[in-house]
Amino acid sequence: MTTRREILTRSAAVIGAASSGLLLPQMAMAQSDKVRVGFMLPYTGTFAQLGVAIENGFRMALNEQGGKLGGREVEFFKVDDESNPAKGIENANRLVQRDKVDVLVGTVHSGVQMGIHKVARDSGVLSLIPNAGVHVATRAQCSPNVFRTSFTNSQPTLALGKAMVDRGHKKAVWITWNYAAGEEAFEGFEQSYTAAGGTIVKKLGLPFPNVEFQALLTEIASLKPDAVACFFAGGGAAKFLRDFHAAGLSKNIQLYGSGFLTEGVLEAAGPAADGVLTTMHYSDALDTPRNKKFRLDYAKTFKAQPDVYAVQGYDTGLLLIKGANAVKGDLSNKKALYAAMEGATIDSPRGQWTMSKAHNPIQDMYLRKVENKENKVIGIAQKAVADPATGCRMG
């Protein structure tokens, strides 16, 4: 049992150290020598596979550094966010208040992200967004301690309009679910397509997650546009691809989309996806030494093929490594930490990218064409695409 004399002796030692010029934060760091990283990701439900891929990619980046951040060991904490926005604040607080994490990594679902975002802004904890594309996080509610390593919902479609017009498709119908991600993707499409000289014949929508597309496909057929552009993802995207093809529309109308239309659904869509064109910041088929090495190393480590979510998790790790190395592991040195992350150039499997003043990637968008169940890169739709960061007061 610790005696009163021992307590007084230790207290005197601390006071003496402080008066002799040693910094107390350094002492605290020495006593708690591990960086505490919290994952708030979906580990069950529809997005479980995405959460696992993000964590795998993040851990792989750290493993390449010997499992350390700025020379310090790392301790991980995990919370299943269940893709449930109603629990977003509660779950984020578990990591910040209970587990005292230094860094919070999450998440996939934009609704859940807003819960994390509130906690991050209130607490000041470093928050890294490895997927959720919700605009406000790096626009009106941008924050010095919040960094996104993925995309905004409108970034892929900001590169879509010119690619369509360049191929002679000047009259298009837009279709999506009536929800935030669909509206934000439309923003990018509308801006880029009209600026390139295209005309949006009609904007169509249906409630999320409704997949009864037939009535809208019949309307598209009657409108006879040059092309259809859309935002769908997951199982709904696979069904839309199959229904579009079954309705005979693919014979005369070129289908375009934000890259999530064909990401991870090509097996389910089958031949119906052939010939579909999308814009995206990554493709499995990127023919670069960097991407090939990443894919080989990931497959060896996790016995699975990496996807865009794994790349985003990996890049989240790379960004944190840049910051942590710059401050030699002292993440309490926030000014220097954030400056290093803001100025970082990330050598990613997707290609090199930099961070905008609003803390969102400035990155190339690839034009991809589905051939034999593969998103093949046929060119760069637009280089160095930056989100407009509307309303952000940083920088």
Side-chain angles (χ1 to χ4, degrees):
M1 182 177 293
T2 303
T3 67
R4 183 172 180 272
R5 179 176 295 177
E6 287 172 327
I7 292 171
L8 291 172
T9 301
R10 291 174 188 173
S11 299
V14 169
I15 293 168
S19 63
S20 65
L22 292 175
L23 296 177
L24 288 174
Q26 291 178 329
M27 292 182 64
M29 191 174 75
Q31 291 167 358
S32 177
D33 59 351
K34 292 185 179 180
V35 178
R36 300 165 77 88
V37 174
F39 291 117
M40 183 166 155
L41 294 165
Y43 292 110
T44 55
T46 303
F47 294 147
Q49 186 175 339
L50 282 58
V52 170
I54 288 168
E55 181 180 340
N56 285 350
F58 186 94
R59 286 181 180 268
M60 182 171 155
L62 265 61
N63 287 342
E64 292 173 355
Q65 299 286 309
K68 295 184 178 181
L69 283 167
R72 295 173 64 191
E73 299 287 345
V74 180
E75 186 174 5
F76 295 100
F77 301 83
K78 294 169 63 169
V79 168
D80 180 4
D81 72 25
E82 304 173 56
S83 297
N84 185 350
K87 295 183 178 180
I89 293 175
E90 174 190 348
N91 283 332
N93 274 327
R94 285 172 61 192
L95 288 167
V96 174
Q97 295 180 5
R98 181 194 66 185
D99 298 323
K100 310 295 184 186
V101 297
D102 301 298
V103 185
L104 202 164
V105 179
T107 187
V108 171
H109 189 296
S110 287
V112 178
Q113 189 65 52
M114 292 314 299
I116 294 175
H117 197 64
K118 178 175 177 16
V119 172
R121 281 163 59 88
D122 289 349
S123 68
V125 71
L126 176 58
S127 174
L128 306 180
I129 308 172
N131 187 74
V134 59
H135 282 170
V136 72
T138 50
R139 290 194 182 181
Q141 292 185 21
C142 65
S143 183
N145 60 309
V146 177
F147 292 80
R148 177 159 31 212
T149 59
S150 51
F151 56 89
T152 61
N153 287 325
S154 64
Q155 257 184 307
T157 47
L158 278 168
L160 188 58
K162 188 175 185 300
M164 292 174 64
V165 173
D166 285 350
R167 281 161 179 72
H169 299 133
K170 298 181 179 180
K171 292 185 178 181
V173 169
W174 170 266
I175 182 170
T176 188
W177 283 307
N178 295 325
Y179 74 146
E183 286 299 315
E184 292 181 349
F186 176 70
E187 177 194 301
F189 172 67
E190 182 180 37
Q191 179 181 325
S192 63
Y193 192 57
T194 56
T199 300
I200 301 171
V201 177
K202 195 158 189 180
K203 177 186 175 187
L204 300 174
L206 70 167
F208 177 81
N210 192 320
V211 292
E212 299 303 321
F213 300 113
Q214 194 55 53
L216 296 178
L217 294 174
T218 300
E219 186 172 358
I220 290 171
S222 68
L223 291 168
K224 298 180 179 178
D226 299 333
V228 168
C230 67
F231 178 90
F232 292 110
K239 187 172 188 299
F240 180 76
L241 290 166
R242 293 194 302 266
D243 289 359
F244 188 90
H245 183 70
L249 298 182
S250 54
K251 293 177 183 177
N252 302 308
I253 302 173
Q254 177 63 51
L255 180 59
Y256 291 87
S258 173
F260 295 99
L261 176 67
T262 59
E263 198 66 27
V265 303
L266 294 181
E267 283 293 333
D274 284 345
V276 173
L277 294 166
T278 61
T279 44
M280 187 73 159
H281 53 286
Y282 178 68
S283 168
D284 299 353
L286 271 176
D287 189 15
T288 63
R290 182 71 174 101
N291 189 45
K292 288 179 178 178
K293 183 179 186 307
F294 166 77
R295 297 190 66 80
L296 181 62
D297 291 347
Y298 187 98
K300 285 181 178 177
T301 303
F302 301 108
K303 313 303 181 198
Q305 290 298 316
D307 55 15
V308 66
Y309 306 103
V311 172
Q312 291 168 176
Y314 181 72
D315 287 3
T316 303
L318 293 182
L319 179 66
L320 182 57
I321 287 164
K322 289 268 188 180
N325 287 350
V327 296
K328 297 181 172 57
D330 181 10
L331 270 60
S332 67
N333 185 359
K334 293 186 177 183
K335 184 177 180 179
L337 174 67
Y338 298 164
M341 293 169 69
E342 288 167 353
T345 296
I346 302 300
D347 183 19
S348 166
R350 73 179 94 168
Q352 285 194 348
W353 60 267
T354 57
M355 189 65 71
S356 77
K357 290 180 179 179
H359 297 176
N360 195 76
I362 301 172
Q363 56 193 329
D364 295 346
M365 289 290 159
Y366 302 99
L367 183 62
R368 316 181 310 174
K369 183 177 183 179
V370 177
E371 293 180 4
N372 300 319
K373 298 182 180 179
E374 186 176 21
N375 286 300
K376 292 194 173 180
V377 176
I378 60 174
I380 296 178
Q382 188 174 329
K383 291 191 70 66
V385 178
D387 183 84
T390 308
C392 179
R393 297 181 181 275
M394 292 195 305

PDB file of all heavy atoms in Angstrom, residues 367-391:
ATOM      1  N   LEU A 367     -12.014   8.151 -65.119  1.00  0.00           N
ATOM      2  CA  LEU A 367     -13.156   7.677 -65.894  1.00  0.00           C
ATOM      3  C   LEU A 367     -12.995   6.178 -66.054  1.00  0.00           C
ATOM      4  O   LEU A 367     -11.964   5.702 -66.550  1.00  0.00           O
ATOM      5  CB  LEU A 367     -13.207   8.362 -67.261  1.00  0.00           C
ATOM      6  CG  LEU A 367     -14.411   7.991 -68.142  1.00  0.00           C
ATOM      7  CD1 LEU A 367     -15.724   8.404 -67.486  1.00  0.00           C
ATOM      8  CD2 LEU A 367     -14.282   8.625 -69.527  1.00  0.00           C
ATOM      9  N   ARG A 368     -14.008   5.430 -65.638  1.00  0.00           N
ATOM     10  CA  ARG A 368     -13.924   3.975 -65.611  1.00  0.00           C
ATOM     11  C   ARG A 368     -15.048   3.376 -66.457  1.00  0.00           C
ATOM     12  O   ARG A 368     -16.160   3.904 -66.504  1.00  0.00           O
ATOM     13  CB  ARG A 368     -14.043   3.453 -64.171  1.00  0.00           C
ATOM     14  CG  ARG A 368     -13.216   4.246 -63.165  1.00  0.00           C
ATOM     15  CD  ARG A 368     -13.324   3.692 -61.765  1.00  0.00           C
ATOM     16  NE  ARG A 368     -14.694   3.482 -61.340  1.00  0.00           N
ATOM     17  CZ  ARG A 368     -15.056   2.905 -60.204  1.00  0.00           C
ATOM     18  NH1 ARG A 368     -14.126   2.470 -59.370  1.00  0.00           N
ATOM     19  NH2 ARG A 368     -16.312   2.751 -59.872  1.00  0.00           N
ATOM     20  N   LYS A 369     -14.742   2.269 -67.100  1.00  0.00           N
ATOM     21  CA  LYS A 369     -15.735   1.556 -67.905  1.00  0.00           C
ATOM     22  C   LYS A 369     -15.788   0.104 -67.445  1.00  0.00           C
ATOM     23  O   LYS A 369     -14.748  -0.544 -67.278  1.00  0.00           O
ATOM     24  CB  LYS A 369     -15.368   1.616 -69.387  1.00  0.00           C
ATOM     25  CG  LYS A 369     -16.397   0.965 -70.313  1.00  0.00           C
ATOM     26  CD  LYS A 369     -15.994   1.134 -71.769  1.00  0.00           C
ATOM     27  CE  LYS A 369     -17.051   0.557 -72.710  1.00  0.00           C
ATOM     28  NZ  LYS A 369     -16.672   0.746 -74.135  1.00  0.00           N
ATOM     29  N   VAL A 370     -16.992  -0.407 -67.231  1.00  0.00           N
ATOM     30  CA  VAL A 370     -17.138  -1.793 -66.796  1.00  0.00           C
ATOM     31  C   VAL A 370     -16.936  -2.728 -67.990  1.00  0.00           C
ATOM     32  O   VAL A 370     -17.624  -2.616 -69.012  1.00  0.00           O
ATOM     33  CB  VAL A 370     -18.519  -2.045 -66.167  1.00  0.00           C
ATOM     34  CG1 VAL A 370     -18.652  -3.525 -65.785  1.00  0.00           C
ATOM     35  CG2 VAL A 370     -18.726  -1.163 -64.938  1.00  0.00           C
ATOM     36  N   GLU A 371     -15.983  -3.636 -67.840  1.00  0.00           N
ATOM     37  CA  GLU A 371     -15.731  -4.681 -68.835  1.00  0.00           C
ATOM     38  C   GLU A 371     -15.444  -5.978 -68.099  1.00  0.00           C
ATOM     39  O   GLU A 371     -14.527  -6.036 -67.273  1.00  0.00           O
ATOM     40  CB  GLU A 371     -14.535  -4.317 -69.723  1.00  0.00           C
ATOM     41  CG  GLU A 371     -14.760  -3.115 -70.624  1.00  0.00           C
ATOM     42  CD  GLU A 371     -13.543  -2.801 -71.481  1.00  0.00           C
ATOM     43  OE1 GLU A 371     -12.546  -3.570 -71.417  1.00  0.00           O
ATOM     44  OE2 GLU A 371     -13.574  -1.791 -72.210  1.00  0.00           O
ATOM     45  N   ASN A 372     -16.244  -6.985 -68.384  1.00  0.00           N
ATOM     46  CA  ASN A 372     -16.035  -8.316 -67.788  1.00  0.00           C
ATOM     47  C   ASN A 372     -15.881  -8.254 -66.269  1.00  0.00           C
ATOM     48  O   ASN A 372     -14.911  -8.743 -65.701  1.00  0.00           O
ATOM     49  CB  ASN A 372     -14.810  -8.993 -68.418  1.00  0.00           C
ATOM     50  CG  ASN A 372     -14.976  -9.183 -69.909  1.00  0.00           C
ATOM     51  OD1 ASN A 372     -16.058  -9.539 -70.378  1.00  0.00           O
ATOM     52  ND2 ASN A 372     -13.918  -8.933 -70.659  1.00  0.00           N
ATOM     53  N   LYS A 373     -16.837  -7.578 -65.617  1.00  0.00           N
ATOM     54  CA  LYS A 373     -16.890  -7.483 -64.153  1.00  0.00           C
ATOM     55  C   LYS A 373     -15.674  -6.788 -63.549  1.00  0.00           C
ATOM     56  O   LYS A 373     -15.211  -7.122 -62.460  1.00  0.00           O
ATOM     57  CB  LYS A 373     -17.077  -8.875 -63.532  1.00  0.00           C
ATOM     58  CG  LYS A 373     -18.373  -9.566 -63.941  1.00  0.00           C
ATOM     59  CD  LYS A 373     -18.519 -10.914 -63.268  1.00  0.00           C
ATOM     60  CE  LYS A 373     -19.815 -11.598 -63.695  1.00  0.00           C
ATOM     61  NZ  LYS A 373     -19.981 -12.926 -63.074  1.00  0.00           N
ATOM     62  N   GLU A 374     -15.176  -5.788 -64.265  1.00  0.00           N
ATOM     63  CA  GLU A 374     -14.048  -5.009 -63.763  1.00  0.00           C
ATOM     64  C   GLU A 374     -14.230  -3.543 -64.154  1.00  0.00           C
ATOM     65  O   GLU A 374     -14.637  -3.229 -65.273  1.00  0.00           O
ATOM     66  CB  GLU A 374     -12.735  -5.543 -64.344  1.00  0.00           C
ATOM     67  CG  GLU A 374     -11.507  -4.879 -63.767  1.00  0.00           C
ATOM     68  CD  GLU A 374     -10.211  -5.481 -64.286  1.00  0.00           C
ATOM     69  OE1 GLU A 374     -10.225  -6.127 -65.357  1.00  0.00           O
ATOM     70  OE2 GLU A 374      -9.180  -5.294 -63.621  1.00  0.00           O
ATOM     71  N   ASN A 375     -13.934  -2.640 -63.205  1.00  0.00           N
ATOM     72  CA  ASN A 375     -13.960  -1.209 -63.490  1.00  0.00           C
ATOM     73  C   ASN A 375     -12.613  -0.814 -64.090  1.00  0.00           C
ATOM     74  O   ASN A 375     -11.666  -0.511 -63.373  1.00  0.00           O
ATOM     75  CB  ASN A 375     -14.204  -0.414 -62.198  1.00  0.00           C
ATOM     76  CG  ASN A 375     -15.631  -0.506 -61.715  1.00  0.00           C
ATOM     77  OD1 ASN A 375     -16.559  -0.120 -62.416  1.00  0.00           O
ATOM     78  ND2 ASN A 375     -15.817  -1.016 -60.497  1.00  0.00           N
ATOM     79  N   LYS A 376     -12.528  -0.804 -65.408  1.00  0.00           N
ATOM     80  CA  LYS A 376     -11.268  -0.508 -66.073  1.00  0.00           C
ATOM     81  C   LYS A 376     -11.107   0.998 -66.271  1.00  0.00           C
ATOM     82  O   LYS A 376     -12.028   1.684 -66.702  1.00  0.00           O
ATOM     83  CB  LYS A 376     -11.198  -1.220 -67.423  1.00  0.00           C
ATOM     84  CG  LYS A 376     -11.110  -2.738 -67.287  1.00  0.00           C
ATOM     85  CD  LYS A 376     -10.695  -3.398 -68.580  1.00  0.00           C
ATOM     86  CE  LYS A 376     -10.445  -4.898 -68.377  1.00  0.00           C
ATOM     87  NZ  LYS A 376     -10.046  -5.575 -69.626  1.00  0.00           N
ATOM     88  N   VAL A 377      -9.932   1.493 -65.938  1.00  0.00           N
ATOM     89  CA  VAL A 377      -9.644   2.912 -66.107  1.00  0.00           C
ATOM     90  C   VAL A 377      -9.371   3.195 -67.574  1.00  0.00           C
ATOM     91  O   VAL A 377      -8.492   2.590 -68.183  1.00  0.00           O
ATOM     92  CB  VAL A 377      -8.431   3.337 -65.255  1.00  0.00           C
ATOM     93  CG1 VAL A 377      -8.079   4.800 -65.518  1.00  0.00           C
ATOM     94  CG2 VAL A 377      -8.718   3.129 -63.778  1.00  0.00           C
ATOM     95  N   ILE A 378     -10.150   4.135 -68.140  1.00  0.00           N
ATOM     96  CA  ILE A 378      -9.931   4.498 -69.542  1.00  0.00           C
ATOM     97  C   ILE A 378      -9.389   5.918 -69.674  1.00  0.00           C
ATOM     98  O   ILE A 378      -9.167   6.400 -70.791  1.00  0.00           O
ATOM     99  CB  ILE A 378     -11.217   4.322 -70.381  1.00  0.00           C
ATOM    100  CG1 ILE A 378     -12.360   5.194 -69.860  1.00  0.00           C
ATOM    101  CG2 ILE A 378     -11.644   2.854 -70.392  1.00  0.00           C
ATOM    102  CD1 ILE A 378     -13.604   5.153 -70.745  1.00  0.00           C
ATOM    103  N   GLY A 379      -9.161   6.574 -68.548  1.00  0.00           N
ATOM    104  CA  GLY A 379      -8.570   7.899 -68.578  1.00  0.00           C
ATOM    105  C   GLY A 379      -8.815   8.642 -67.276  1.00  0.00           C
ATOM    106  O   GLY A 379      -9.465   8.132 -66.366  1.00  0.00           O
ATOM    107  N   ILE A 380      -8.279   9.844 -67.202  1.00  0.00           N
ATOM    108  CA  ILE A 380      -8.538  10.721 -66.059  1.00  0.00           C
ATOM    109  C   ILE A 380      -9.638  11.689 -66.472  1.00  0.00           C
ATOM    110  O   ILE A 380      -9.468  12.494 -67.393  1.00  0.00           O
ATOM    111  CB  ILE A 380      -7.271  11.487 -65.627  1.00  0.00           C
ATOM    112  CG1 ILE A 380      -6.208  10.486 -65.127  1.00  0.00           C
ATOM    113  CG2 ILE A 380      -7.591  12.488 -64.519  1.00  0.00           C
ATOM    114  CD1 ILE A 380      -4.891  11.133 -64.728  1.00  0.00           C
ATOM    115  N   ALA A 381     -10.774  11.604 -65.798  1.00  0.00           N
ATOM    116  CA  ALA A 381     -11.896  12.488 -66.130  1.00  0.00           C
ATOM    117  C   ALA A 381     -11.558  13.931 -65.794  1.00  0.00           C
ATOM    118  O   ALA A 381     -11.886  14.853 -66.552  1.00  0.00           O
ATOM    119  CB  ALA A 381     -13.151  12.051 -65.383  1.00  0.00           C
ATOM    120  N   GLN A 382     -10.891  14.131 -64.664  1.00  0.00           N
ATOM    121  CA  GLN A 382     -10.481  15.480 -64.269  1.00  0.00           C
ATOM    122  C   GLN A 382      -9.393  15.374 -63.219  1.00  0.00           C
ATOM    123  O   GLN A 382      -9.491  14.576 -62.284  1.00  0.00           O
ATOM    124  CB  GLN A 382     -11.671  16.269 -63.702  1.00  0.00           C
ATOM    125  CG  GLN A 382     -11.380  17.733 -63.442  1.00  0.00           C
ATOM    126  CD  GLN A 382     -12.622  18.506 -63.023  1.00  0.00           C
ATOM    127  OE1 GLN A 382     -13.726  18.189 -63.424  1.00  0.00           O
ATOM    128  NE2 GLN A 382     -12.437  19.514 -62.197  1.00  0.00           N
ATOM    129  N   LYS A 383      -8.354  16.170 -63.378  1.00  0.00           N
ATOM    130  CA  LYS A 383      -7.250  16.151 -62.427  1.00  0.00           C
ATOM    131  C   LYS A 383      -7.521  17.110 -61.279  1.00  0.00           C
ATOM    132  O   LYS A 383      -8.165  18.149 -61.443  1.00  0.00           O
ATOM    133  CB  LYS A 383      -5.934  16.522 -63.121  1.00  0.00           C
ATOM    134  CG  LYS A 383      -5.429  15.469 -64.099  1.00  0.00           C
ATOM    135  CD  LYS A 383      -4.012  15.756 -64.566  1.00  0.00           C
ATOM    136  CE  LYS A 383      -2.999  15.553 -63.454  1.00  0.00           C
ATOM    137  NZ  LYS A 383      -2.900  14.145 -63.024  1.00  0.00           N
ATOM    138  N   ALA A 384      -6.995  16.758 -60.111  1.00  0.00           N
ATOM    139  CA  ALA A 384      -6.993  17.642 -58.935  1.00  0.00           C
ATOM    140  C   ALA A 384      -8.364  18.255 -58.663  1.00  0.00           C
ATOM    141  O   ALA A 384      -8.513  19.468 -58.580  1.00  0.00           O
ATOM    142  CB  ALA A 384      -5.945  18.732 -59.097  1.00  0.00           C
ATOM    143  N   VAL A 385      -9.366  17.389 -58.499  1.00  0.00           N
ATOM    144  CA  VAL A 385     -10.718  17.857 -58.212  1.00  0.00           C
ATOM    145  C   VAL A 385     -10.799  18.257 -56.736  1.00  0.00           C
ATOM    146  O   VAL A 385     -10.476  17.468 -55.848  1.00  0.00           O
ATOM    147  CB  VAL A 385     -11.767  16.770 -58.517  1.00  0.00           C
ATOM    148  CG1 VAL A 385     -13.170  17.259 -58.171  1.00  0.00           C
ATOM    149  CG2 VAL A 385     -11.698  16.367 -59.983  1.00  0.00           C
ATOM    150  N   ALA A 386     -11.240  19.481 -56.489  1.00  0.00           N
ATOM    151  CA  ALA A 386     -11.383  19.975 -55.123  1.00  0.00           C
ATOM    152  C   ALA A 386     -12.841  20.298 -54.845  1.00  0.00           C
ATOM    153  O   ALA A 386     -13.531  20.868 -55.692  1.00  0.00           O
ATOM    154  CB  ALA A 386     -10.532  21.219 -54.911  1.00  0.00           C
ATOM    155  N   ASP A 387     -13.317  19.917 -53.678  1.00  0.00           N
ATOM    156  CA  ASP A 387     -14.645  20.337 -53.260  1.00  0.00           C
ATOM    157  C   ASP A 387     -14.632  21.849 -53.030  1.00  0.00           C
ATOM    158  O   ASP A 387     -13.639  22.385 -52.522  1.00  0.00           O
ATOM    159  CB  ASP A 387     -15.047  19.609 -51.981  1.00  0.00           C
ATOM    160  CG  ASP A 387     -16.459  19.938 -51.533  1.00  0.00           C
ATOM    161  OD1 ASP A 387     -17.395  19.291 -52.043  1.00  0.00           O
ATOM    162  OD2 ASP A 387     -16.616  20.846 -50.700  1.00  0.00           O
ATOM    163  N   PRO A 388     -15.720  22.553 -53.356  1.00  0.00           N
ATOM    164  CA  PRO A 388     -15.700  24.013 -53.215  1.00  0.00           C
ATOM    165  C   PRO A 388     -15.618  24.529 -51.777  1.00  0.00           C
ATOM    166  O   PRO A 388     -15.343  25.709 -51.556  1.00  0.00           O
ATOM    167  CB  PRO A 388     -17.019  24.447 -53.864  1.00  0.00           C
ATOM    168  CG  PRO A 388     -17.892  23.233 -53.840  1.00  0.00           C
ATOM    169  CD  PRO A 388     -16.944  22.083 -54.008  1.00  0.00           C
ATOM    170  N   ALA A 389     -15.865  23.657 -50.790  1.00  0.00           N
ATOM    171  CA  ALA A 389     -15.729  24.047 -49.373  1.00  0.00           C
ATOM    172  C   ALA A 389     -16.596  25.256 -49.015  1.00  0.00           C
ATOM    173  O   ALA A 389     -16.204  26.104 -48.216  1.00  0.00           O
ATOM    174  CB  ALA A 389     -14.272  24.313 -49.021  1.00  0.00           C
ATOM    175  N   THR A 390     -17.783  25.306 -49.583  1.00  0.00           N
ATOM    176  CA  THR A 390     -18.688  26.436 -49.382  1.00  0.00           C
ATOM    177  C   THR A 390     -18.974  26.647 -47.891  1.00  0.00           C
ATOM    178  O   THR A 390     -19.394  25.728 -47.195  1.00  0.00           O
ATOM    179  CB  THR A 390     -20.013  26.196 -50.122  1.00  0.00           C
ATOM    180  OG1 THR A 390     -19.716  25.855 -51.487  1.00  0.00           O
ATOM    181  CG2 THR A 390     -20.902  27.424 -50.078  1.00  0.00           C
ATOM    182  N   GLY A 391     -18.724  27.842 -47.417  1.00  0.00           N
ATOM    183  CA  GLY A 391     -19.028  28.176 -46.026  1.00  0.00           C
ATOM    184  C   GLY A 391     -17.920  27.905 -45.042  1.00  0.00           C
ATOM    185  O   GLY A 391     -18.013  28.299 -43.876  1.00  0.00           O
TER     186      GLY A 391
END
